[in-house]
Amino acid sequence: MNLERYQVTATTATRYLFFTGKGGVGKTSLSCATALKLAEAGRRVLLVSTDPASNLDEVLATALTGQPTPIADVPGLLALNINPVEAAAAYRDRIVGPMRGLLPESALRSMEEQLSGSCTVEIAAFDEFAGLIGNPESAREFDHIVFDTAPTGHTLRLMSLAKAWDQFLDNNTSGASCLGPLAGLAKQRAIYERTVQALADSTITTLLLVCRPQHAALREAERTAAELRALGVANQRLIINGLFETPCPDDALAQAWQRRGQAALNEAQAFIRSLPTTQVPLRPMNILGRDGLRALLDERVASSSVAPSVATEEPPAMESLESWVDELGELGHGVIMTMGKGGVGKTTVAAALAVALAQRGHAVHLSTTDPAAHVTQTLAGNVAGLTVGRIDPIAETAEYTAEVQRTQGAQLDAAGRALLEEDLRSPCTEEIAVFRAFAREVDRGTDRFVVLDTAPTGHTLLLLDASEAYNRELQRQSRSSLQPESVLRLLERLRDPAFTHVLLVTLPEATPVHEAAALQEDLRRAHIEPFGWVINQSLLHCGTCDPLLRQREATELRYLHEVVEVHAHRTAWLPWQAEEPTGPDALARLAHSHLEPAVLS
């Protein structure tokens, strides 16, 4: 399939450029490279990350904050991270500040407590996002605003909030919400409306769907395209990143890599032809710093960096996933959670663990907290003793809403029930419902193994950090009596190393390793100690003669050593697979992978 190379010019780029897609497909690299290209063409560009686990700092080699920061040696390019926690603090100050001196301290403390939940974090981050689009004064000095968004499910949530809060403000008559007095939101009403209009305006907004030549990434891109179109975001482009063609006809691994990508593209031909589509070739280097970003979109720079290389240094000692399955299996029950940056293979590792445990005779439930949920496609078959599920936000919200109306609503008069129904239409209700479902899944680990494939890092941390916040929200709504035992015991169970085992999954590359290290520190601050790290899709001693793959293999070693010697107490190793590991047999083989001495010879 011959596709044109991705290019961006100052004359064809719209004012707003959104890069989205499955985790790990290269959104950050492409958004940064695009912003750099536009700035070097003389445009004023603001690059914005909406990802709670942003790695813009590392890619741009610049410490970023929530305010536009100039990028050294690139005139016209500034960047910022929307930090949800900082945004929430600013939001609280904006709502509570004008009341200081007018209300007693007890009332102010009550307001601050009310505005300390995860709903406030979400709407505050959304306010920052919407302000850059819907407030004409906020970014008027820039010609282009390039958004590096969170992985797909979180991005869909962010964009849908514009309509959700707009509609909620339309229908609300009580003057209050889970975010405090609606005056704080109503002031933003015009900004939300303009945001909705701008996202739907193809003359100023382009959505760039980034994917890899992989079945899962292409399927998610197709689903996302349809959902965003339904939200009114119609000006879409598809970028297939990491396309690989080998010059080595007799290299089995290189041919398998090329064949695997081509098979995914062939399967998705109808979708690819439905959108303007371009491609970016696979590069041999980590895309870090300005030189790396230039090489991503400039073939001449990229070609000069490819030199035959071979991994001669011995790798560090690493364990097999199978040995971990044997060890965990002796416990008889508990929760196993795979975490990490999007695209590192959390779903695959979770499915491989679930299959291996079930094949050893254990009762296992495999589930996901990821809005983009791919566990069913990865498992692609039935295994005795293994059940599969997912946390469906729509279904969970409907069930929770019905429960509140059935219990609390039964005690109210007609006016009270009307206010209750209005409150339940708030987008925050979904957050509560999903959190309760997460706690319920963890609770199932008391009599079986529960393997949870979690959402990408930032979204997972917001979920894990929500226990006390949701308790406050339920108390505000006078629904604390509805809080099940599973919610009350959630943090206790997550912090119990005999019950919950967190596996940090990474690729042997800079950004996934460093993001997993940051996630580990966040977990430790929450008093959750990871069980170990899994290094996935390693090319170590693969025997290839392809110059690009050999260079990628040689580059791995520094990150293998960094994980084993700096970050992890224990490390398991998994090789790159010639065929995507889907189905019980392939997943069982993956779990059985060993780094044998013979492989290293």
Side-chain angles (χ1 to χ4, degrees), residues 275-297:
L275 290 175
T277 302
T278 53
Q279 58 102 347
V280 177
L282 183 69
R283 299 306 188 194
M285 75 294 285
N286 287 304
I287 307 301
L288 297 174
R290 290 176 291 280
D291 291 341
L293 292 170
R294 291 187 183 100
L296 181 62
L297 300 184

PDB file of all heavy atoms in Angstrom, residues 275-297:
ATOM      1  N   LEU A 275     -10.387   8.105   4.784  1.00  0.00           N
ATOM      2  CA  LEU A 275      -9.818   9.356   5.277  1.00  0.00           C
ATOM      3  C   LEU A 275      -8.568   9.720   4.489  1.00  0.00           C
ATOM      4  O   LEU A 275      -7.869   8.830   3.975  1.00  0.00           O
ATOM      5  CB  LEU A 275      -9.421   9.218   6.754  1.00  0.00           C
ATOM      6  CG  LEU A 275     -10.522   9.099   7.808  1.00  0.00           C
ATOM      7  CD1 LEU A 275      -9.891   8.859   9.171  1.00  0.00           C
ATOM      8  CD2 LEU A 275     -11.380  10.345   7.838  1.00  0.00           C
ATOM      9  N   PRO A 276      -8.249  11.002   4.394  1.00  0.00           N
ATOM     10  CA  PRO A 276      -6.926  11.376   3.866  1.00  0.00           C
ATOM     11  C   PRO A 276      -5.858  10.749   4.762  1.00  0.00           C
ATOM     12  O   PRO A 276      -5.845  10.977   5.973  1.00  0.00           O
ATOM     13  CB  PRO A 276      -6.920  12.905   3.970  1.00  0.00           C
ATOM     14  CG  PRO A 276      -8.362  13.303   4.041  1.00  0.00           C
ATOM     15  CD  PRO A 276      -9.061  12.187   4.751  1.00  0.00           C
ATOM     16  N   THR A 277      -4.974   9.934   4.178  1.00  0.00           N
ATOM     17  CA  THR A 277      -4.023   9.144   4.975  1.00  0.00           C
ATOM     18  C   THR A 277      -2.594   9.377   4.507  1.00  0.00           C
ATOM     19  O   THR A 277      -2.315   9.375   3.300  1.00  0.00           O
ATOM     20  CB  THR A 277      -4.358   7.646   4.883  1.00  0.00           C
ATOM     21  OG1 THR A 277      -5.695   7.433   5.340  1.00  0.00           O
ATOM     22  CG2 THR A 277      -3.414   6.818   5.734  1.00  0.00           C
ATOM     23  N   THR A 278      -1.694   9.571   5.459  1.00  0.00           N
ATOM     24  CA  THR A 278      -0.270   9.688   5.173  1.00  0.00           C
ATOM     25  C   THR A 278       0.491   8.755   6.112  1.00  0.00           C
ATOM     26  O   THR A 278      -0.072   8.198   7.043  1.00  0.00           O
ATOM     27  CB  THR A 278       0.227  11.136   5.370  1.00  0.00           C
ATOM     28  OG1 THR A 278      -0.149  11.586   6.682  1.00  0.00           O
ATOM     29  CG2 THR A 278      -0.385  12.069   4.330  1.00  0.00           C
ATOM     30  N   GLN A 279       1.798   8.600   5.867  1.00  0.00           N
ATOM     31  CA  GLN A 279       2.592   7.682   6.683  1.00  0.00           C
ATOM     32  C   GLN A 279       3.916   8.303   7.083  1.00  0.00           C
ATOM     33  O   GLN A 279       4.426   9.214   6.425  1.00  0.00           O
ATOM     34  CB  GLN A 279       2.822   6.370   5.932  1.00  0.00           C
ATOM     35  CG  GLN A 279       3.520   6.515   4.593  1.00  0.00           C
ATOM     36  CD  GLN A 279       5.003   6.142   4.623  1.00  0.00           C
ATOM     37  OE1 GLN A 279       5.598   6.000   5.690  1.00  0.00           O
ATOM     38  NE2 GLN A 279       5.591   5.993   3.448  1.00  0.00           N
ATOM     39  N   VAL A 280       4.456   7.801   8.193  1.00  0.00           N
ATOM     40  CA  VAL A 280       5.787   8.182   8.676  1.00  0.00           C
ATOM     41  C   VAL A 280       6.578   6.894   8.869  1.00  0.00           C
ATOM     42  O   VAL A 280       6.118   5.986   9.573  1.00  0.00           O
ATOM     43  CB  VAL A 280       5.702   8.950  10.017  1.00  0.00           C
ATOM     44  CG1 VAL A 280       7.103   9.258  10.539  1.00  0.00           C
ATOM     45  CG2 VAL A 280       4.897  10.234   9.839  1.00  0.00           C
ATOM     46  N   PRO A 281       7.755   6.761   8.254  1.00  0.00           N
ATOM     47  CA  PRO A 281       8.521   5.514   8.371  1.00  0.00           C
ATOM     48  C   PRO A 281       9.025   5.282   9.798  1.00  0.00           C
ATOM     49  O   PRO A 281       9.185   6.212  10.586  1.00  0.00           O
ATOM     50  CB  PRO A 281       9.702   5.734   7.419  1.00  0.00           C
ATOM     51  CG  PRO A 281       9.306   6.868   6.534  1.00  0.00           C
ATOM     52  CD  PRO A 281       8.399   7.729   7.353  1.00  0.00           C
ATOM     53  N   LEU A 282       9.271   4.012  10.105  1.00  0.00           N
ATOM     54  CA  LEU A 282       9.901   3.658  11.379  1.00  0.00           C
ATOM     55  C   LEU A 282      11.302   4.262  11.423  1.00  0.00           C
ATOM     56  O   LEU A 282      12.039   4.240  10.433  1.00  0.00           O
ATOM     57  CB  LEU A 282      10.002   2.129  11.502  1.00  0.00           C
ATOM     58  CG  LEU A 282      10.571   1.588  12.815  1.00  0.00           C
ATOM     59  CD1 LEU A 282       9.605   1.833  13.969  1.00  0.00           C
ATOM     60  CD2 LEU A 282      10.869   0.095  12.685  1.00  0.00           C
ATOM     61  N   ARG A 283      11.671   4.807  12.569  1.00  0.00           N
ATOM     62  CA  ARG A 283      12.993   5.412  12.732  1.00  0.00           C
ATOM     63  C   ARG A 283      13.836   4.554  13.678  1.00  0.00           C
ATOM     64  O   ARG A 283      13.303   3.866  14.558  1.00  0.00           O
ATOM     65  CB  ARG A 283      12.865   6.832  13.292  1.00  0.00           C
ATOM     66  CG  ARG A 283      12.066   7.780  12.396  1.00  0.00           C
ATOM     67  CD  ARG A 283      12.598   7.834  10.976  1.00  0.00           C
ATOM     68  NE  ARG A 283      11.951   8.889  10.191  1.00  0.00           N
ATOM     69  CZ  ARG A 283      12.027   8.977   8.885  1.00  0.00           C
ATOM     70  NH1 ARG A 283      12.709   8.061   8.196  1.00  0.00           N
ATOM     71  NH2 ARG A 283      11.433   9.963   8.244  1.00  0.00           N
ATOM     72  N   PRO A 284      15.152   4.617  13.535  1.00  0.00           N
ATOM     73  CA  PRO A 284      16.018   3.761  14.353  1.00  0.00           C
ATOM     74  C   PRO A 284      16.290   4.305  15.737  1.00  0.00           C
ATOM     75  O   PRO A 284      16.754   3.583  16.612  1.00  0.00           O
ATOM     76  CB  PRO A 284      17.316   3.706  13.536  1.00  0.00           C
ATOM     77  CG  PRO A 284      17.356   5.023  12.823  1.00  0.00           C
ATOM     78  CD  PRO A 284      15.916   5.337  12.484  1.00  0.00           C
ATOM     79  N   MET A 285      16.009   5.599  15.935  1.00  0.00           N
ATOM     80  CA  MET A 285      16.431   6.245  17.186  1.00  0.00           C
ATOM     81  C   MET A 285      15.237   6.596  18.050  1.00  0.00           C
ATOM     82  O   MET A 285      14.094   6.615  17.592  1.00  0.00           O
ATOM     83  CB  MET A 285      17.222   7.520  16.871  1.00  0.00           C
ATOM     84  CG  MET A 285      16.369   8.711  16.410  1.00  0.00           C
ATOM     85  SD  MET A 285      15.523   8.517  14.823  1.00  0.00           S
ATOM     86  CE  MET A 285      16.939   8.729  13.736  1.00  0.00           C
ATOM     87  N   ASN A 286      15.507   6.884  19.329  1.00  0.00           N
ATOM     88  CA  ASN A 286      14.488   7.464  20.189  1.00  0.00           C
ATOM     89  C   ASN A 286      14.234   8.893  19.729  1.00  0.00           C
ATOM     90  O   ASN A 286      15.171   9.645  19.465  1.00  0.00           O
ATOM     91  CB  ASN A 286      14.959   7.476  21.648  1.00  0.00           C
ATOM     92  CG  ASN A 286      14.936   6.086  22.254  1.00  0.00           C
ATOM     93  OD1 ASN A 286      13.909   5.424  22.262  1.00  0.00           O
ATOM     94  ND2 ASN A 286      16.076   5.639  22.757  1.00  0.00           N
ATOM     95  N   ILE A 287      12.975   9.263  19.632  1.00  0.00           N
ATOM     96  CA  ILE A 287      12.641  10.608  19.157  1.00  0.00           C
ATOM     97  C   ILE A 287      12.666  11.552  20.357  1.00  0.00           C
ATOM     98  O   ILE A 287      11.648  11.819  21.007  1.00  0.00           O
ATOM     99  CB  ILE A 287      11.265  10.625  18.465  1.00  0.00           C
ATOM    100  CG1 ILE A 287      11.213   9.555  17.377  1.00  0.00           C
ATOM    101  CG2 ILE A 287      10.984  11.995  17.870  1.00  0.00           C
ATOM    102  CD1 ILE A 287      12.260   9.709  16.293  1.00  0.00           C
ATOM    103  N   LEU A 288      13.864  12.052  20.667  1.00  0.00           N
ATOM    104  CA  LEU A 288      14.058  12.954  21.795  1.00  0.00           C
ATOM    105  C   LEU A 288      14.870  14.152  21.333  1.00  0.00           C
ATOM    106  O   LEU A 288      15.804  14.016  20.529  1.00  0.00           O
ATOM    107  CB  LEU A 288      14.792  12.262  22.939  1.00  0.00           C
ATOM    108  CG  LEU A 288      14.094  11.059  23.604  1.00  0.00           C
ATOM    109  CD1 LEU A 288      15.023  10.409  24.607  1.00  0.00           C
ATOM    110  CD2 LEU A 288      12.800  11.486  24.276  1.00  0.00           C
ATOM    111  N   GLY A 289      14.545  15.347  21.834  1.00  0.00           N
ATOM    112  CA  GLY A 289      15.295  16.537  21.486  1.00  0.00           C
ATOM    113  C   GLY A 289      14.977  17.026  20.080  1.00  0.00           C
ATOM    114  O   GLY A 289      14.315  16.367  19.282  1.00  0.00           O
ATOM    115  N   ARG A 290      15.471  18.211  19.777  1.00  0.00           N
ATOM    116  CA  ARG A 290      15.147  18.830  18.491  1.00  0.00           C
ATOM    117  C   ARG A 290      15.702  18.049  17.312  1.00  0.00           C
ATOM    118  O   ARG A 290      15.055  17.928  16.265  1.00  0.00           O
ATOM    119  CB  ARG A 290      15.661  20.282  18.492  1.00  0.00           C
ATOM    120  CG  ARG A 290      14.860  21.160  19.435  1.00  0.00           C
ATOM    121  CD  ARG A 290      15.405  22.570  19.529  1.00  0.00           C
ATOM    122  NE  ARG A 290      16.705  22.601  20.218  1.00  0.00           N
ATOM    123  CZ  ARG A 290      16.840  22.558  21.540  1.00  0.00           C
ATOM    124  NH1 ARG A 290      15.781  22.454  22.308  1.00  0.00           N
ATOM    125  NH2 ARG A 290      18.023  22.605  22.098  1.00  0.00           N
ATOM    126  N   ASP A 291      16.903  17.473  17.444  1.00  0.00           N
ATOM    127  CA  ASP A 291      17.478  16.700  16.331  1.00  0.00           C
ATOM    128  C   ASP A 291      16.633  15.463  16.035  1.00  0.00           C
ATOM    129  O   ASP A 291      16.388  15.124  14.877  1.00  0.00           O
ATOM    130  CB  ASP A 291      18.920  16.302  16.649  1.00  0.00           C
ATOM    131  CG  ASP A 291      19.862  17.500  16.653  1.00  0.00           C
ATOM    132  OD1 ASP A 291      19.486  18.543  16.073  1.00  0.00           O
ATOM    133  OD2 ASP A 291      20.948  17.395  17.243  1.00  0.00           O
ATOM    134  N   GLY A 292      16.206  14.777  17.094  1.00  0.00           N
ATOM    135  CA  GLY A 292      15.367  13.602  16.895  1.00  0.00           C
ATOM    136  C   GLY A 292      14.044  13.953  16.246  1.00  0.00           C
ATOM    137  O   GLY A 292      13.542  13.233  15.377  1.00  0.00           O
ATOM    138  N   LEU A 293      13.452  15.083  16.657  1.00  0.00           N
ATOM    139  CA  LEU A 293      12.174  15.511  16.081  1.00  0.00           C
ATOM    140  C   LEU A 293      12.329  15.881  14.614  1.00  0.00           C
ATOM    141  O   LEU A 293      11.453  15.588  13.794  1.00  0.00           O
ATOM    142  CB  LEU A 293      11.615  16.696  16.879  1.00  0.00           C
ATOM    143  CG  LEU A 293      11.171  16.370  18.311  1.00  0.00           C
ATOM    144  CD1 LEU A 293      10.877  17.643  19.090  1.00  0.00           C
ATOM    145  CD2 LEU A 293       9.957  15.449  18.303  1.00  0.00           C
ATOM    146  N   ARG A 294      13.433  16.532  14.282  1.00  0.00           N
ATOM    147  CA  ARG A 294      13.659  16.861  12.866  1.00  0.00           C
ATOM    148  C   ARG A 294      13.827  15.588  12.041  1.00  0.00           C
ATOM    149  O   ARG A 294      13.343  15.499  10.909  1.00  0.00           O
ATOM    150  CB  ARG A 294      14.892  17.753  12.727  1.00  0.00           C
ATOM    151  CG  ARG A 294      14.707  19.160  13.301  1.00  0.00           C
ATOM    152  CD  ARG A 294      15.884  20.067  12.992  1.00  0.00           C
ATOM    153  NE  ARG A 294      15.716  21.381  13.604  1.00  0.00           N
ATOM    154  CZ  ARG A 294      16.292  21.769  14.739  1.00  0.00           C
ATOM    155  NH1 ARG A 294      17.107  20.926  15.391  1.00  0.00           N
ATOM    156  NH2 ARG A 294      16.074  22.964  15.229  1.00  0.00           N
ATOM    157  N   ALA A 295      14.512  14.603  12.597  1.00  0.00           N
ATOM    158  CA  ALA A 295      14.728  13.344  11.869  1.00  0.00           C
ATOM    159  C   ALA A 295      13.422  12.603  11.627  1.00  0.00           C
ATOM    160  O   ALA A 295      13.290  11.880  10.633  1.00  0.00           O
ATOM    161  CB  ALA A 295      15.697  12.449  12.651  1.00  0.00           C
ATOM    162  N   LEU A 296      12.430  12.781  12.517  1.00  0.00           N
ATOM    163  CA  LEU A 296      11.172  12.065  12.366  1.00  0.00           C
ATOM    164  C   LEU A 296      10.478  12.420  11.055  1.00  0.00           C
ATOM    165  O   LEU A 296       9.917  11.544  10.381  1.00  0.00           O
ATOM    166  CB  LEU A 296      10.252  12.390  13.554  1.00  0.00           C
ATOM    167  CG  LEU A 296       8.890  11.684  13.564  1.00  0.00           C
ATOM    168  CD1 LEU A 296       9.066  10.171  13.639  1.00  0.00           C
ATOM    169  CD2 LEU A 296       8.037  12.181  14.722  1.00  0.00           C
ATOM    170  N   LEU A 297      10.524  13.692  10.683  1.00  0.00           N
ATOM    171  CA  LEU A 297       9.815  14.134   9.479  1.00  0.00           C
ATOM    172  C   LEU A 297      10.739  14.452   8.309  1.00  0.00           C
ATOM    173  O   LEU A 297      10.253  14.784   7.230  1.00  0.00           O
ATOM    174  CB  LEU A 297       8.969  15.379   9.802  1.00  0.00           C
ATOM    175  CG  LEU A 297       7.892  15.208  10.873  1.00  0.00           C
ATOM    176  CD1 LEU A 297       7.068  16.483  11.009  1.00  0.00           C
ATOM    177  CD2 LEU A 297       6.985  14.028  10.559  1.00  0.00           C
TER     178      LEU A 297
END
